[in-house]
Amino acid sequence: MTIQSSTMVGRDAELTEIASSLGVRPSRPADRLVDVLLSGDAGVGKTRLLRALRDLAFDEGWQVYAGHCLDFGDSALPYLPFSEVLGRITAELPEVAAEVAATHPALARLQPVRRQMAESDQVDAEASALDRADLFRAMAAVLEAAARRSPLLLVIEDTHWADQSTRDMLSFLLSRMDSAGYAIVASYRSDDLHRRHPLRRQVAEWSRLRGVDRINLSPLADDDVRSLVHELVPGGLPEAEMADVVARAEGNAFFVEELVSAAADPGSVVPADLADVLLVRLDRLDDDARQVVRTASASGRRVTHEMLEGTSELSVEALERGLRGAVEMNVLVADRGAYAFRHALLGEAVYDDLLPGERSRLHGRYVDALRKGTARGTAAELARHARLAMDKTTALQASVRAGNEAIEVGGPDEAAYHYQQALEILSGATAQGPDSDLGDHGIDLSRLVVRAADALTASGDPERAVGVVQEQIEGLPDDTPMHQRARMMGALANAMFLTENDDSAYAISLNAVALAPEGESGLRARLLTGHARILAGCGRPEEARAVAVDALELAERLDLHDLASEAMTTLSGLKKSGPKEGLREALEEAVARAVEAEAIHAELRGRFLMGRSYQDWAEFDDAVRWFTGGIERATAAGIPWAPYGFDARWQLSWIHVVRGEWDAALDLFVVEGPFPPPISRALLTAMRLQIEQNRGADVGARAQALRPFWRREGAVAIHAAGVEIIAAGRRDDPVGAVAAYDDAVSTLHQIWHEWYSARIRHAAVALGVLADAMATRSHAEREDLVKEVDRLHHDGHLVLDRYTDPSGHWGPEGRAWVKRLDAEALRAHWMAGIEAPEQDTLIRAWREAETQFAEFGHVYELAVVRTKLAGILRAAGDVAAARELGDQARETARRLGAQPLLDELTAIGSAPAAREASDVTLTAREREILGHVAEGRTNGEIAKLLFISAKTVSVHVSNILGKLGASGRTEAAAIARRRGLLD
C-alpha cells in the first residue's frame, strides 16, 4: 500500500500567497478578487496544494467548484471542465441554475446531459454555430449568481490538457474586470508546455491581464523532501535509502511517495526505473482490481462507473470488489460517481504497459459500450476509441459528429481537427481501394473536405486549408463525379483567394464553375457566389458584377439566404467606382441583410469593406466604429482569426498607430482565445515592431526574421520592410536601407505587381535614410547615394503615374507620402550639396508635406516631418519658426514615448541661432578644414592630411561650429553646402 502523508509539507508559503491573491484569506485590500495561474511539474504537488486551498476556503465560508480537463487532447470535447462545474452547481443549487438558464438559454448547451450523443443524431448533418459570446456570458452569470450566496472559488485543473474552447472560456473569465464574488485558480503542468504547446503562449497572454497572478510551484527543497519522508515513515529510513529518495525524487512529492512506498515494503528494493515504481502497486492488486485498473487506463484519468460496467467484462460483484481494492491501494480515487487515477502519471504508466492487442480490445469494448448506449459519452470519445480499436467506419462517422458538435459551440479549431481525422481515414481507405475494410459509412468526401477547409479558414489558417484540399483533390480517383470535384475545387479557390494566390484562385474557380451541374442547385449557387467574390478581388469588376447577379438570383430562388447575402455584399463592394456615398449605402444594406440571414461571414466582409471605405478617406471615427463591430462579431462567433474578422482587427490597429494611440493598438494584439495562426501573428508582429522601433527599441533583427512571411502575405512585407529600412538608417547603413527597399519591391512585384501603392512610402522612408547619411560621406560616396536618391524618387512617381483604382481616388495617405517623397529627395540633394535646391523650394516642399500629414492625421509622421523641417529652418537661420515646430514635435514625441525623435529634437533645440551668411567669416585654414569635415573625415585623418596636430584640428572645428551656429559636424556641413562655403 502506498504511504501517503495527510500533512502538506513545504508549501505553506505558496498556500499563503495563493490564498492572499485569491482573497480567500486576504492580506491586502483589493478592488476585486485576483485570479491565479498555478504551474508546476507533474507530481510536484499542485493537486495537494489545491486540496489544502479548498479546505481553507471552506473554513473561510467559501464555495468551491472544480472542473478537470481530459488528459487525452485528441478527444477535444469543448468546455468539458465547465460542464462539470455546471453539473455540480445544478445539483447543489438547482434554483440558481434555473434562474440563470431562464435569462441565458445558452447555458443549457453546457449541461452534462446535453453533451451526450442521441440515437437520432445524423452523421452527415450540417452543424449550426452557437454565438459563443452568449455561452461565455451564461457561464459568467451562473458563477456570479452562485457567488451572491457566498464567495466562490472556481478551480480548473490540468489546463495543459484543455481544449481550445475551454481556453477561450478561461480567457473570457480571467479578463473580466467586473467579476463579482468569485475567483479563479487554473493549474497546469509546466513541464508539458513544450515550445509548440498551445497553452504556452496563452499563459503568457493571461499573465499580462490585470488581476491575474502567476505562481509556479517549484520542486521541494531537499530538507522538505526529508521532512516529507519523515511524515510518510515516522521511524525514518536508513540514511542510504533516504539519500537515494532525495536524489531520485528531485523534489517531486509524488515521486517521493512512490519511492518511499516501494522502499518501505519488506524485502523490496527501490526500482531502477520510475515506471516500475508507478506500476509496482499493480502487482499487489488482485485479478479483479488489476482488470479494473487496466480497463480504466484506456479511458484516461477519469472513467464513469457505468463505463466500467460496460467495458470491464466483470460481474457487478467482481467489479465492485476490484474497484474497492483499487481505491484502497490508492490507485484509483472515487470522485462523484466516477473514478480517477490518483495521479495522471500512474494512469499513463498503466496504459503504456498494455500490450498492443490489449489496447485494441479495450478500446473496442469502449466503442461497443458507447454505440449500444451501455455507457454515455461524447462523439469525440467514440471517435478516439474507435480509431484506436481500428474500427474505421465508426471512427469516421464519430469524427464527423465530433466536428459538427465543435462547430455548434463555436470551436473551429477542434472541428478542423476532427474533420481532418475523418479525412485521414477516408484517404487511407481510398488508397487501399476495393480491399479497404471501411464499410458503408454514408459520408460524402467532397462535403467533408469543404467542412474541413471552412473550419481551418474560420480558425485563421487558410494556408492549411489549401494544403488539405489540394491533397484530397490529388488523391481523387478518375471516376469521381464532376459535381464532387467541382465542390472541392470551389473550396480550394476560396482558400487560395485568402492567401497570395489570386491568379490561381481565379483559374481554379473558373474551372469549378465549368464543372458544376447545369440548372438550379445549391452547389452551383455556392460556386457562382465564390467566383464573383474572387473576380471582384482580382480587379475584374464587370465580370464580377454579372456573375454576382446570377448568383444572387439563383440563391434567392433556392432560399439560400447566406449565399444571397454573400452575393449582395460582393455587388455592394463593386460600387467602389461610383460616389463613396453609394458604396456605403449599399454596403450598409448588405450588412443588415447578412445579420438578418445570420450569414456571419458575409456580415464580417461587409463590415470590413465599410471600415475600409471610411479608412481610405481618413474618416477614422467611422472606420473605427465599423472595424470594432466586425471584431466583436468575429469574437462572439468564436472565429477571431477568420477572414475579415481578423482583417478588421489589423486595420483598426493601423488606425490606432496613425492616430498616435499606440497602447490601444497593442491592446488589440492580445486576443482572448486561440493563439493567432502564423500569418496573423506575423502581421501583428510587424505592427508591434513599428511601435517598439518608434519608441527606441532595436528591432532590425526581429523584423528580418519576418522575411519568410513576405511571399505568403504582402502586408507583412510592406510593414516589416519599412522597419528594416529605418533600422538600417539608425545603424548608419544607407546601402542596407536601399537593399531592404529593393528586396521588398522584388517580393511584392512577384506576388502583386511592380507598382504597388505602398512603394511610394518605402521610397520616401529610404530617401530619408539617404538624406541623413549625406553629411558624413565623402564626395564620391555622396554622388553614388544621389544616384540612388534619383532612382527611388523616379520609382515613386512612376507608381503615382501607373496607379489604378476603380474609385479613381488617391486618398489623404497617398497624397501625404507623395509630398514626403518629394521633400526627402530635395533634402537629400541639399545635404549632399549636389544639384542642391533653392532654400525657398526646399522649405516650401516640407511645408506642403506638413500640411498633407496634418490632413491625413498621422500623428507620429507629422512629428517626424516637423522635426526635419525644424532642422532645415534652423540651418536657414529662422530660429523662431524652427523652435515653434520643434516644440510641437516634442510634445507629440513625449506623449508617444518616441525617444529617438526626442533625441533628435534635443540636438535641434540646443543649437544656437544661425547667423546670416554675410556675417560668417572663415579663415582659409578653417575653410580647408571645413571641406574635410564635409567629406566625413575625423580630426585625426584631417591632421595627417594637413600635417598638423589633432588638437589643432579640434580647435579649428570648434571655431567653425561657433561661427556657423551649428550643433554638430553634420549640421555644419549642411550649412556650408547650402551657403556655398565649400570650394
PDB file of all heavy atoms in Angstrom, residues 10 14 34-35 89 103 193 195 208 225 300 337 349 464 467 560 568 585 589 597 601 623 649 751 838 856 875 887 972:
ATOM      1  N   GLY A  10       6.108  21.698   3.183  1.00  0.00           N
ATOM      2  CA  GLY A  10       6.922  22.583   2.352  1.00  0.00           C
ATOM      3  C   GLY A  10       6.153  23.517   1.445  1.00  0.00           C
ATOM      4  O   GLY A  10       6.757  24.115   0.549  1.00  0.00           O
ATOM      5  N   GLU A  14       3.523  28.999  -0.330  1.00  0.00           N
ATOM      6  CA  GLU A  14       2.721  29.053  -1.560  1.00  0.00           C
ATOM      7  C   GLU A  14       1.228  29.109  -1.250  1.00  0.00           C
ATOM      8  O   GLU A  14       0.468  29.831  -1.909  1.00  0.00           O
ATOM      9  CB  GLU A  14       3.010  27.827  -2.438  1.00  0.00           C
ATOM     10  CG  GLU A  14       4.392  27.839  -3.078  1.00  0.00           C
ATOM     11  CD  GLU A  14       5.443  27.171  -2.224  1.00  0.00           C
ATOM     12  OE1 GLU A  14       5.182  26.994  -1.010  1.00  0.00           O
ATOM     13  OE2 GLU A  14       6.516  26.841  -2.753  1.00  0.00           O
ATOM     14  N   VAL A  34      -8.360  38.521  -7.093  1.00  0.00           N
ATOM     15  CA  VAL A  34      -7.305  38.280  -8.073  1.00  0.00           C
ATOM     16  C   VAL A  34      -7.302  36.801  -8.432  1.00  0.00           C
ATOM     17  O   VAL A  34      -7.440  35.936  -7.572  1.00  0.00           O
ATOM     18  CB  VAL A  34      -5.937  38.700  -7.506  1.00  0.00           C
ATOM     19  CG1 VAL A  34      -4.816  38.311  -8.468  1.00  0.00           C
ATOM     20  CG2 VAL A  34      -5.923  40.208  -7.262  1.00  0.00           C
ATOM     21  N   ASP A  35      -7.180  36.495  -9.718  1.00  0.00           N
ATOM     22  CA  ASP A  35      -7.127  35.115 -10.178  1.00  0.00           C
ATOM     23  C   ASP A  35      -5.683  34.628 -10.183  1.00  0.00           C
ATOM     24  O   ASP A  35      -4.740  35.419 -10.237  1.00  0.00           O
ATOM     25  CB  ASP A  35      -7.726  34.999 -11.578  1.00  0.00           C
ATOM     26  CG  ASP A  35      -9.170  35.507 -11.625  1.00  0.00           C
ATOM     27  OD1 ASP A  35      -9.906  35.242 -10.652  1.00  0.00           O
ATOM     28  OD2 ASP A  35      -9.533  36.179 -12.604  1.00  0.00           O
ATOM     29  N   ILE A  89     -23.096  22.666  -9.847  1.00  0.00           N
ATOM     30  CA  ILE A  89     -23.918  23.804  -9.419  1.00  0.00           C
ATOM     31  C   ILE A  89     -25.389  23.467  -9.570  1.00  0.00           C
ATOM     32  O   ILE A  89     -26.226  23.779  -8.705  1.00  0.00           O
ATOM     33  CB  ILE A  89     -23.551  25.062 -10.226  1.00  0.00           C
ATOM     34  CG1 ILE A  89     -22.132  25.532  -9.851  1.00  0.00           C
ATOM     35  CG2 ILE A  89     -24.554  26.180  -9.993  1.00  0.00           C
ATOM     36  CD1 ILE A  89     -21.653  26.729 -10.653  1.00  0.00           C
ATOM     37  N   THR A 103     -32.699  33.338 -18.215  1.00  0.00           N
ATOM     38  CA  THR A 103     -32.261  34.570 -18.900  1.00  0.00           C
ATOM     39  C   THR A 103     -31.105  34.336 -19.852  1.00  0.00           C
ATOM     40  O   THR A 103     -30.804  35.181 -20.688  1.00  0.00           O
ATOM     41  CB  THR A 103     -31.855  35.631 -17.855  1.00  0.00           C
ATOM     42  OG1 THR A 103     -30.846  35.075 -17.003  1.00  0.00           O
ATOM     43  CG2 THR A 103     -33.063  36.049 -17.026  1.00  0.00           C
ATOM     44  N   LEU A 193       4.492  22.024 -21.181  1.00  0.00           N
ATOM     45  CA  LEU A 193       4.357  23.156 -22.102  1.00  0.00           C
ATOM     46  C   LEU A 193       5.605  23.291 -22.970  1.00  0.00           C
ATOM     47  O   LEU A 193       6.440  24.155 -22.769  1.00  0.00           O
ATOM     48  CB  LEU A 193       4.099  24.460 -21.326  1.00  0.00           C
ATOM     49  CG  LEU A 193       2.613  24.825 -21.166  1.00  0.00           C
ATOM     50  CD1 LEU A 193       1.885  23.715 -20.438  1.00  0.00           C
ATOM     51  CD2 LEU A 193       2.464  26.132 -20.419  1.00  0.00           C
ATOM     52  N   ARG A 195       7.552  23.925 -26.655  1.00  0.00           N
ATOM     53  CA  ARG A 195       7.567  25.171 -27.423  1.00  0.00           C
ATOM     54  C   ARG A 195       6.294  25.373 -28.234  1.00  0.00           C
ATOM     55  O   ARG A 195       5.825  26.486 -28.390  1.00  0.00           O
ATOM     56  CB  ARG A 195       8.791  25.196 -28.343  1.00  0.00           C
ATOM     57  CG  ARG A 195       8.969  26.512 -29.078  1.00  0.00           C
ATOM     58  CD  ARG A 195      10.280  26.558 -29.823  1.00  0.00           C
ATOM     59  NE  ARG A 195      10.347  25.514 -30.833  1.00  0.00           N
ATOM     60  CZ  ARG A 195      11.375  25.303 -31.635  1.00  0.00           C
ATOM     61  NH1 ARG A 195      12.454  26.052 -31.512  1.00  0.00           N
ATOM     62  NH2 ARG A 195      11.360  24.341 -32.533  1.00  0.00           N
ATOM     63  N   ARG A 208      -0.430  38.679 -18.569  1.00  0.00           N
ATOM     64  CA  ARG A 208      -0.392  40.129 -18.744  1.00  0.00           C
ATOM     65  C   ARG A 208      -1.716  40.800 -18.400  1.00  0.00           C
ATOM     66  O   ARG A 208      -1.814  42.025 -18.430  1.00  0.00           O
ATOM     67  CB  ARG A 208       0.016  40.468 -20.187  1.00  0.00           C
ATOM     68  CG  ARG A 208       1.481  40.184 -20.477  1.00  0.00           C
ATOM     69  CD  ARG A 208       1.922  40.863 -21.762  1.00  0.00           C
ATOM     70  NE  ARG A 208       1.390  40.215 -22.929  1.00  0.00           N
ATOM     71  CZ  ARG A 208       2.032  39.243 -23.595  1.00  0.00           C
ATOM     72  NH1 ARG A 208       3.213  38.831 -23.172  1.00  0.00           N
ATOM     73  NH2 ARG A 208       1.505  38.701 -24.669  1.00  0.00           N
ATOM     74  N   VAL A 225      11.962  17.547   1.386  1.00  0.00           N
ATOM     75  CA  VAL A 225      11.805  16.141   0.985  1.00  0.00           C
ATOM     76  C   VAL A 225      12.063  15.237   2.182  1.00  0.00           C
ATOM     77  O   VAL A 225      11.333  14.266   2.437  1.00  0.00           O
ATOM     78  CB  VAL A 225      12.754  15.798  -0.187  1.00  0.00           C
ATOM     79  CG1 VAL A 225      12.742  14.297  -0.461  1.00  0.00           C
ATOM     80  CG2 VAL A 225      12.354  16.568  -1.433  1.00  0.00           C
ATOM     81  N   GLY A 300      -8.516   7.105 -19.824  1.00  0.00           N
ATOM     82  CA  GLY A 300      -7.803   8.315 -19.433  1.00  0.00           C
ATOM     83  C   GLY A 300      -7.735   8.363 -17.925  1.00  0.00           C
ATOM     84  O   GLY A 300      -7.778   7.342 -17.246  1.00  0.00           O
ATOM     85  N   GLY A 337     -19.330   9.646  -8.374  1.00  0.00           N
ATOM     86  CA  GLY A 337     -19.904   8.692  -9.296  1.00  0.00           C
ATOM     87  C   GLY A 337     -18.950   8.208 -10.359  1.00  0.00           C
ATOM     88  O   GLY A 337     -19.347   7.439 -11.247  1.00  0.00           O
ATOM     89  N   ALA A 349       1.175   5.358 -17.109  1.00  0.00           N
ATOM     90  CA  ALA A 349       2.086   4.222 -16.997  1.00  0.00           C
ATOM     91  C   ALA A 349       1.337   2.905 -17.174  1.00  0.00           C
ATOM     92  O   ALA A 349       1.830   1.979 -17.826  1.00  0.00           O
ATOM     93  CB  ALA A 349       2.801   4.260 -15.647  1.00  0.00           C
ATOM     94  N   ARG A 464      -3.347  26.288 -44.498  1.00  0.00           N
ATOM     95  CA  ARG A 464      -3.544  24.881 -44.179  1.00  0.00           C
ATOM     96  C   ARG A 464      -4.767  24.335 -44.925  1.00  0.00           C
ATOM     97  O   ARG A 464      -4.751  23.195 -45.386  1.00  0.00           O
ATOM     98  CB  ARG A 464      -3.717  24.720 -42.666  1.00  0.00           C
ATOM     99  CG  ARG A 464      -4.013  23.297 -42.200  1.00  0.00           C
ATOM    100  CD  ARG A 464      -2.911  22.331 -42.579  1.00  0.00           C
ATOM    101  NE  ARG A 464      -3.251  20.975 -42.191  1.00  0.00           N
ATOM    102  CZ  ARG A 464      -2.774  19.901 -42.786  1.00  0.00           C
ATOM    103  NH1 ARG A 464      -1.943  20.021 -43.810  1.00  0.00           N
ATOM    104  NH2 ARG A 464      -3.115  18.695 -42.373  1.00  0.00           N
ATOM    105  N   GLY A 467      -3.706  23.403 -48.356  1.00  0.00           N
ATOM    106  CA  GLY A 467      -2.960  22.152 -48.365  1.00  0.00           C
ATOM    107  C   GLY A 467      -3.856  20.937 -48.237  1.00  0.00           C
ATOM    108  O   GLY A 467      -3.677  19.930 -48.939  1.00  0.00           O
ATOM    109  N   LEU A 560     -31.555  30.299 -50.329  1.00  0.00           N
ATOM    110  CA  LEU A 560     -30.249  30.156 -49.665  1.00  0.00           C
ATOM    111  C   LEU A 560     -29.812  31.545 -49.212  1.00  0.00           C
ATOM    112  O   LEU A 560     -29.077  32.249 -49.894  1.00  0.00           O
ATOM    113  CB  LEU A 560     -29.238  29.535 -50.632  1.00  0.00           C
ATOM    114  CG  LEU A 560     -29.596  28.140 -51.142  1.00  0.00           C
ATOM    115  CD1 LEU A 560     -28.597  27.667 -52.199  1.00  0.00           C
ATOM    116  CD2 LEU A 560     -29.659  27.137 -50.001  1.00  0.00           C
ATOM    117  N   MET A 568     -24.837  39.681 -52.407  1.00  0.00           N
ATOM    118  CA  MET A 568     -25.214  41.081 -52.227  1.00  0.00           C
ATOM    119  C   MET A 568     -24.028  41.898 -51.727  1.00  0.00           C
ATOM    120  O   MET A 568     -23.806  43.036 -52.160  1.00  0.00           O
ATOM    121  CB  MET A 568     -26.372  41.182 -51.236  1.00  0.00           C
ATOM    122  CG  MET A 568     -26.794  42.621 -50.932  1.00  0.00           C
ATOM    123  SD  MET A 568     -27.475  43.476 -52.385  1.00  0.00           S
ATOM    124  CE  MET A 568     -29.078  42.670 -52.472  1.00  0.00           C
ATOM    125  N   GLU A 585     -23.951  53.168 -48.731  1.00  0.00           N
ATOM    126  CA  GLU A 585     -25.377  52.856 -48.599  1.00  0.00           C
ATOM    127  C   GLU A 585     -25.634  51.400 -48.970  1.00  0.00           C
ATOM    128  O   GLU A 585     -26.372  50.690 -48.282  1.00  0.00           O
ATOM    129  CB  GLU A 585     -26.189  53.791 -49.489  1.00  0.00           C
ATOM    130  CG  GLU A 585     -27.691  53.575 -49.370  1.00  0.00           C
ATOM    131  CD  GLU A 585     -28.469  54.547 -50.241  1.00  0.00           C
ATOM    132  OE1 GLU A 585     -27.868  55.517 -50.748  1.00  0.00           O
ATOM    133  OE2 GLU A 585     -29.688  54.337 -50.414  1.00  0.00           O
ATOM    134  N   GLU A 589     -26.732  48.249 -46.335  1.00  0.00           N
ATOM    135  CA  GLU A 589     -27.886  47.393 -46.606  1.00  0.00           C
ATOM    136  C   GLU A 589     -27.465  45.920 -46.641  1.00  0.00           C
ATOM    137  O   GLU A 589     -28.172  45.047 -46.130  1.00  0.00           O
ATOM    138  CB  GLU A 589     -28.526  47.790 -47.940  1.00  0.00           C
ATOM    139  CG  GLU A 589     -29.753  46.962 -48.301  1.00  0.00           C
ATOM    140  CD  GLU A 589     -30.334  47.362 -49.646  1.00  0.00           C
ATOM    141  OE1 GLU A 589     -29.920  48.401 -50.206  1.00  0.00           O
ATOM    142  OE2 GLU A 589     -31.213  46.625 -50.142  1.00  0.00           O
ATOM    143  N   ALA A 597     -29.994  37.256 -42.099  1.00  0.00           N
ATOM    144  CA  ALA A 597     -29.841  35.885 -42.595  1.00  0.00           C
ATOM    145  C   ALA A 597     -28.898  35.059 -41.735  1.00  0.00           C
ATOM    146  O   ALA A 597     -28.693  33.871 -42.013  1.00  0.00           O
ATOM    147  CB  ALA A 597     -29.334  35.914 -44.035  1.00  0.00           C
ATOM    148  N   HIS A 601     -20.175  35.282 -42.166  1.00  0.00           N
ATOM    149  CA  HIS A 601     -19.023  35.636 -42.992  1.00  0.00           C
ATOM    150  C   HIS A 601     -19.355  36.792 -43.939  1.00  0.00           C
ATOM    151  O   HIS A 601     -18.503  37.657 -44.177  1.00  0.00           O
ATOM    152  CB  HIS A 601     -18.538  34.411 -43.760  1.00  0.00           C
ATOM    153  CG  HIS A 601     -18.011  33.331 -42.873  1.00  0.00           C
ATOM    154  ND1 HIS A 601     -16.829  33.464 -42.176  1.00  0.00           N
ATOM    155  CD2 HIS A 601     -18.521  32.110 -42.536  1.00  0.00           C
ATOM    156  CE1 HIS A 601     -16.622  32.366 -41.454  1.00  0.00           C
ATOM    157  NE2 HIS A 601     -17.626  31.536 -41.654  1.00  0.00           N
ATOM    158  N   ALA A 623     -14.565  54.674 -39.411  1.00  0.00           N
ATOM    159  CA  ALA A 623     -13.828  53.435 -39.686  1.00  0.00           C
ATOM    160  C   ALA A 623     -13.672  52.616 -38.418  1.00  0.00           C
ATOM    161  O   ALA A 623     -13.849  51.385 -38.424  1.00  0.00           O
ATOM    162  CB  ALA A 623     -12.463  53.767 -40.286  1.00  0.00           C
ATOM    163  N   ARG A 649      -9.467  43.715 -37.270  1.00  0.00           N
ATOM    164  CA  ARG A 649      -8.568  43.943 -36.129  1.00  0.00           C
ATOM    165  C   ARG A 649      -7.259  44.565 -36.609  1.00  0.00           C
ATOM    166  O   ARG A 649      -6.730  45.502 -36.006  1.00  0.00           O
ATOM    167  CB  ARG A 649      -8.305  42.627 -35.408  1.00  0.00           C
ATOM    168  CG  ARG A 649      -7.402  42.743 -34.181  1.00  0.00           C
ATOM    169  CD  ARG A 649      -7.208  41.380 -33.539  1.00  0.00           C
ATOM    170  NE  ARG A 649      -8.451  40.821 -33.089  1.00  0.00           N
ATOM    171  CZ  ARG A 649      -9.021  41.076 -31.920  1.00  0.00           C
ATOM    172  NH1 ARG A 649      -8.415  41.894 -31.065  1.00  0.00           N
ATOM    173  NH2 ARG A 649     -10.180  40.531 -31.585  1.00  0.00           N
ATOM    174  N   ILE A 751       4.322  38.772 -56.180  1.00  0.00           N
ATOM    175  CA  ILE A 751       3.017  38.316 -55.687  1.00  0.00           C
ATOM    176  C   ILE A 751       1.896  39.299 -55.996  1.00  0.00           C
ATOM    177  O   ILE A 751       0.724  38.900 -56.001  1.00  0.00           O
ATOM    178  CB  ILE A 751       3.073  38.039 -54.170  1.00  0.00           C
ATOM    179  CG1 ILE A 751       3.382  39.318 -53.370  1.00  0.00           C
ATOM    180  CG2 ILE A 751       4.089  36.976 -53.852  1.00  0.00           C
ATOM    181  CD1 ILE A 751       3.316  39.118 -51.868  1.00  0.00           C
ATOM    182  N   GLU A 838      16.992  75.461 -54.186  1.00  0.00           N
ATOM    183  CA  GLU A 838      16.930  76.751 -53.527  1.00  0.00           C
ATOM    184  C   GLU A 838      16.301  76.566 -52.145  1.00  0.00           C
ATOM    185  O   GLU A 838      15.452  75.699 -51.935  1.00  0.00           O
ATOM    186  CB  GLU A 838      16.108  77.736 -54.351  1.00  0.00           C
ATOM    187  CG  GLU A 838      16.732  78.107 -55.685  1.00  0.00           C
ATOM    188  CD  GLU A 838      18.003  78.920 -55.519  1.00  0.00           C
ATOM    189  OE1 GLU A 838      18.105  79.642 -54.489  1.00  0.00           O
ATOM    190  OE2 GLU A 838      18.882  78.815 -56.390  1.00  0.00           O
ATOM    191  N   PHE A 856      -3.953  64.199 -43.287  1.00  0.00           N
ATOM    192  CA  PHE A 856      -4.051  62.747 -43.182  1.00  0.00           C
ATOM    193  C   PHE A 856      -4.320  62.333 -41.737  1.00  0.00           C
ATOM    194  O   PHE A 856      -5.085  61.411 -41.464  1.00  0.00           O
ATOM    195  CB  PHE A 856      -2.745  62.141 -43.720  1.00  0.00           C
ATOM    196  CG  PHE A 856      -2.589  60.666 -43.539  1.00  0.00           C
ATOM    197  CD1 PHE A 856      -3.685  59.806 -43.472  1.00  0.00           C
ATOM    198  CD2 PHE A 856      -1.321  60.101 -43.443  1.00  0.00           C
ATOM    199  CE1 PHE A 856      -3.513  58.438 -43.311  1.00  0.00           C
ATOM    200  CE2 PHE A 856      -1.150  58.744 -43.286  1.00  0.00           C
ATOM    201  CZ  PHE A 856      -2.243  57.910 -43.214  1.00  0.00           C
ATOM    202  N   ALA A 875      18.929  75.710 -39.832  1.00  0.00           N
ATOM    203  CA  ALA A 875      20.098  75.894 -40.690  1.00  0.00           C
ATOM    204  C   ALA A 875      19.946  77.128 -41.570  1.00  0.00           C
ATOM    205  O   ALA A 875      20.932  77.780 -41.928  1.00  0.00           O
ATOM    206  CB  ALA A 875      20.310  74.653 -41.555  1.00  0.00           C
ATOM    207  N   ASP A 887       8.891  72.479 -30.806  1.00  0.00           N
ATOM    208  CA  ASP A 887       8.054  72.332 -29.614  1.00  0.00           C
ATOM    209  C   ASP A 887       6.836  71.459 -29.897  1.00  0.00           C
ATOM    210  O   ASP A 887       6.432  70.637 -29.067  1.00  0.00           O
ATOM    211  CB  ASP A 887       7.611  73.710 -29.113  1.00  0.00           C
ATOM    212  CG  ASP A 887       8.761  74.502 -28.496  1.00  0.00           C
ATOM    213  OD1 ASP A 887       9.808  73.874 -28.194  1.00  0.00           O
ATOM    214  OD2 ASP A 887       8.621  75.731 -28.337  1.00  0.00           O
ATOM    215  N   ALA A 972      26.936  71.457 -39.581  1.00  0.00           N
ATOM    216  CA  ALA A 972      27.910  72.412 -40.139  1.00  0.00           C
ATOM    217  C   ALA A 972      28.144  72.147 -41.618  1.00  0.00           C
ATOM    218  O   ALA A 972      28.201  73.075 -42.441  1.00  0.00           O
ATOM    219  CB  ALA A 972      29.216  72.329 -39.371  1.00  0.00           C
TER     220      ALA A 972
END
